[in-house]
Amino acid sequence: MKNAKLQAFIPLFYLVWSDDLLTQKEFVTLKEFIKSQKKLSVEEQEYLLSKVDISNPPSRNELTQWKSDIEANIKDKSSIKSIFDIAVALSEKDLDISALESDFTKLENDLGILGEEVIQNFKTKSDSLTANSQTTNSFDIQQLTSILNGKEAPIINRVKSIISKPEFAYETSTDINIYRQTVYKWCKILAEENLGNMAYPKQYGGGENIADYFAVMETLSYHDLSLVIKFGVQFGLWGMSVQSLGTEKHYAKYLKDIGSLKLPGCFAMTETHHGSNVKGLETTATYNHNNQTFTIHTPNKNAQKEYIGNAAVHGQMATVFAKLIIDGHDYGVNAFVVGLRDANGNILNGVTIGDCGHKMGLNGVDNGTISFDNVVIPKENMLDRFASVNDKGEFESPIPSDNRRFFTMLGTLVGGRIGIPRSALSAAKSGLTIAIRYSDQRRQFGPEGGSEVPILNYRIHQRRLLPHLAKIYAVHFALQYLTNRFLNRTEAEMQEIEALAAGLKSYSTWSTRDILQECREACGGKGYLSENRIDALKNDTEIYTTFEGDNTVLMQLTAKNRLSEFRKSFGEMGSFGIINYVYENAKTAITEKNPIATRRTEDEHLLDGEFHLQAFIHREKTILASAAKRIKRLIDDGLDTYDAFNVVQHQMIDVSQAYLERVVLEQFQIAVKAVEDLKTKEILTKLSQLYALSQLEKNKAWFLEDGYMEAVKTKAIRKMVNQLCWDIRPDALALVNAFDIPESCLSAPISKL
Amino acid sequence: MKNAKLQAFIPLFYLVWSDDLLTQKEFVTLKEFIKSQKKLSVEEQEYLLSKVDISNPPSRNELTQWKSDIEANIKDKSSIKSIFDIAVALSEKDLDISALESDFTKLENDLGILGEEVIQNFKTKSDSLTANSQTTNSFDIQQLTSILNGKEAPIINRVKSIISKPEFAYETSTDINIYRQTVYKWCKILAEENLGNMAYPKQYGGGENIADYFAVMETLSYHDLSLVIKFGVQFGLWGMSVQSLGTEKHYAKYLKDIGSLKLPGCFAMTETHHGSNVKGLETTATYNHNNQTFTIHTPNKNAQKEYIGNAAVHGQMATVFAKLIIDGHDYGVNAFVVGLRDANGNILNGVTIGDCGHKMGLNGVDNGTISFDNVVIPKENMLDRFASVNDKGEFESPIPSDNRRFFTMLGTLVGGRIGIPRSALSAAKSGLTIAIRYSDQRRQFGPEGGSEVPILNYRIHQRRLLPHLAKIYAVHFALQYLTNRFLNRTEAEMQEIEALAAGLKSYSTWSTRDILQECREACGGKGYLSENRIDALKNDTEIYTTFEGDNTVLMQLTAKNRLSEFRKSFGEMGSFGIINYVYENAKTAITEKNPIATRRTEDEHLLDGEFHLQAFIHREKTILASAAKRIKRLIDDGLDTYDAFNVVQHQMIDVSQAYLERVVLEQFQIAVKAVEDLKTKEILTKLSQLYALSQLEKNKAWFLEDGYMEAVKTKAIRKMVNQLCWDIRPDALALVNAFDIPESCLSAPISKL
């Protein structure tokens, strides 16, 4: 029973017995199809039906034979497009079969099979588009590294060479006592290298170089992050609080020993019940005029200092924030230097230390709690740059308002909000380097008959990682900008810079959180093994979104600053003024908002940096005005200011977000413009386009609601983001290698090239 | 120099010296203002100017005096709305001042001050709206718990009482050897309680109750997740693989000992180079007809079994997946039982075990690697339900296609993709219980002069947590639905159920990831301390998005299933067919898409469950058709199927997402409809509305692009989400307490009520 007509049915047999998507229902469909073929004899029909009897499957050998028959017959025949075409090929000599074409087509449809797809499964090919995308690099990696490092290159390279030494091998013990000691030992080495006192005045042994200090923090962050935080607590928080809030006598007494780590100390601000709302803290410093001392006291359990780095084990002194009380009057929060332990590590009388114990991360840092039971300190221990008690026992300050004095004090500590986001960005760079290197080598799945394909060739994988790569570059330049603004600040700019720092701290640390999350998942099971370091990077930076100011609270601060700037620029703050502003803004946007612009989708336009920036600016301005208008209306309607701000909290986050995105894009574009080398400029331009367009895509609902873009344009942007990912993919490896992270720091086995 | 006219300037002095937003520029503005007041004498001007001399600030006492003067004068005067009004109040008797009104207004504008805001800062009040929102419960908690537990309540309560016993106190050692032994000990206790063998046939000592087995997994997940995974590896993966892939002889030989944990074992499928693409694994099982054995062999380092739970320490046997080779022919992946250790724990000859070492989480599970060096096993160790070698040494199988056989084998293991999402959901419930309890008690900030406010009263905090609460309830019912579908499955439904399980596994585990992330941040520093358990919950569930199938890969599978279902339902798969479908779909959507519907914003409509479901369905159908159309077009244009699917990967995720969201909402609505108690029904209805609207908000860009909604509507939805959060907030505590998680399991100090 073998004739050419029957051969025509082989592809159908093969399909029903092999396709993993067809089910019992399809057997029934096929049987009915066979029965309906009037040109077949009863004998032929019975033979065919016996081949689709679910209780009597063909042997595996028979199935394999069918497959090779089909493959042999369709080989190199590009004209074959449907199952019927295969049937024809298998039954070449039987011309009769042509009458069956429409029946076959109907059957294909009934079975829900896509002919072309089936055919391709029979063809062996290894050179699909997807498989062929390959790593190359279109630019000089070292040049890009130089651009990233800028003039900090010497100190960056020095730090890299130090942390690459054998004594900086990662601690692998899970015992936090061992880990804490290792980190302390590392800090001592860094102090010996004069890295800790980098920012202190030269007369106290320091390097008097704040720019270098930030670069040190950033570069150390390629290594263990407990080290970075312990280092930052000692030399940044503890040392800088003495330097910023104290006066000459404190510098002379403490700075040298702090810088050499002879005097380990703490920054004791946060209390159990007062973290974000530091102004409400309850520890008291009561002035005793009779003996010229202060009594530091913790009035209740929830006023204990908590999460204090260096407290649980090493700290000998602390800058303690407490409410100053003179003669029963509360003069607001001030800072005092208070002893915790003697030089041998014995805890002093009246001081109680607790251990915060095991944490999600940063277990090399000895966070603890501190309580004071009427601890007496000499008068000169008050850090008295902004307030003091005079000889008559009276309060004195150049800043009469407690509130403003407090914020001025905090303002001097803004450096932390620059160091932390830069540290966070380094962690993101490490994570993405590991993930991209792995994705470039890890192969999984592939075209039928071809070999497996690097997972970075998959569009979805590119989508997961490459917009993050663009974002890291963008944030890098934004943080350089923030640092420069801070280093060259004038008094008048301070509030703006503080708001920018608060905002970029949030933006950068949230970005790191998202990037490391994606890296973990993109590396699958390998990303879960501690040896590959994403574990530590992720868990250590997890708290970055909370410390140095909770991000959500900081975003509200930044938004409030934007609102106040807005009010100053647009005088009349009545509803009329805002409406006027909105109207003016709408007018300037009118060229961008005409039907042609809102629908433009040609590549040149979509990739135009000017278009990107204008769109970001439009969003920033419109959201700001709309928030101002809403608050005004709520208050006009009789709501408390406090309640009104509560109602718009969600919108305030958008105000900050839109502002920060504009700053980040603007600074990225400015940085790219300054690049001279053409190849480098080209790849950075692509990254800035990808950053801009992926943000526009993320915010597309807003642009559609606003009418700034129409659907045709937002859809085109989505496609362009995909295309840019595909175009950047070959350079992805070179782009992470340009971060130039020491191999010993990356350490992850999956990151080995 | 004190007259009423000068008193009028006090509020201005106070503002410039106290407001932390005003800067030097404002001093200049104010000085100019004073100089421009022609009605003042030179002497008066000089006096006033002396009060705004930046080099000579007022004393703190003077500032305090100004403040109390202002406060005393405006107390209880609700008519005071601007700084000028204060000025008037302070200079009551001097009628002259009225002439200054417009000057003052201009000054307010120049300074960027909002009068109402300033006034409120002088008024002491503690009863703002925000401060007054309080925890109550509008429904009976126990009734809701009963609804959640359903008919599994008895086993759930039994498991809860077991894990609340003292011997289940959490292991706090960071030594993984100690932790692994503790978890093993816990598993033994559970085996003794007959919980491990819950799903096995009664004749082998089991409980023959799969529904209860899932409930056990889910309830154990309130406790340590290493325990859950170790339990799942032993009784689920190892035991169920024997039960699902083996035959009578294997049941008789192994099941009882597996169920009692006398025979600890592994599920050895994943290899270093083959995780997602399991079909490509390289371990071989070569049949030796001469002595009726198989030789299990690891051909290269990357073909070692990796991440295998129970392997590093406890496993004595393993179900090993390997390519069956007979006479040099490859018969695809099959499963074999292979010994690893003897009963004393000595590793057998030819077996090499590695230890995966420390992981991001789940460190109580001993994951390891396994390599085989020509290990010989008897023929009967082949798990031969779907394929076997006959007496003649020939391959035999009721499923001739290797591919289909493989997927059929995997299909029998789908239970894991039900157990894991249910476990993930329990972890999310624990995390959210901790975070909501803490947020209800933790106070920070507050209205001027009032006490601090529970942070859950802040809109942004509600936004962060309450949509997640709604989602947890929604997913709970969807997973009950999935479980029921699985328990009552017919052969014909299997592919759909597998796709649903793959999808909901992804949906649930990604939700858990997001929820725990938010919980960590919402709890601030407390959320970072290991004692509060978010650490463990987060890090343990981190890998849930990878194991039992990488979520991104699973979402592609689910989408492919949807496409194939789509093809079957809409016969003609030519472009014409799809266009037809799209057209038909558009027609049915026409009533919903008319200009009135797309702009409807009244509360009743926005809260209407029917509107929600229709919108979800419209989205699901449209995205599916559009993906089908796109793939068809790409292939028509000459792209390989493989490449075409690569191009649309991003869209495929949307296909699955839209499908899953529809299923989740639909099942939530069905569950709510079945509730009889009115109070319970009311709160669940609110949660289903919040789930629906927050998903619509998340997807609003799509709805705007599609034209299904206009901006006015999406904006109204955003507001309604805020409103629902506010409305649900008083019940939030009761809603997490209804999860009824044992206090000993929650354990977090911050969750104590």
Side-chain angles (χ1 to χ4, degrees), chain B residues 690-710:
Chain B
L690 179 55
Y691 171 72
L693 289 174
S694 49
Q695 299 311 302
L696 290 179
E697 191 190 22
K698 173 174 74 72
N699 298 320
K700 70 180 171 181
W702 187 88
F703 284 103
L704 289 162
E705 281 181 345
D706 178 69
Y708 193 84
M709 295 185 196
E710 292 184 40

Side-chain angles (χ1 to χ4, degrees), chain A residues 60 120 130 402 495 641 643, chain B residues 20 60 120 130 402 641 643:
Chain A
R60 182 182 180 279
Q120 294 200 354
T130 307
D402 294 346
Q495 287 184 356
T641 318
D643 285 329
Chain B
D20 47 292
R60 182 181 182 277
Q120 293 201 354
T130 307
D402 293 346
T641 317
D643 286 328

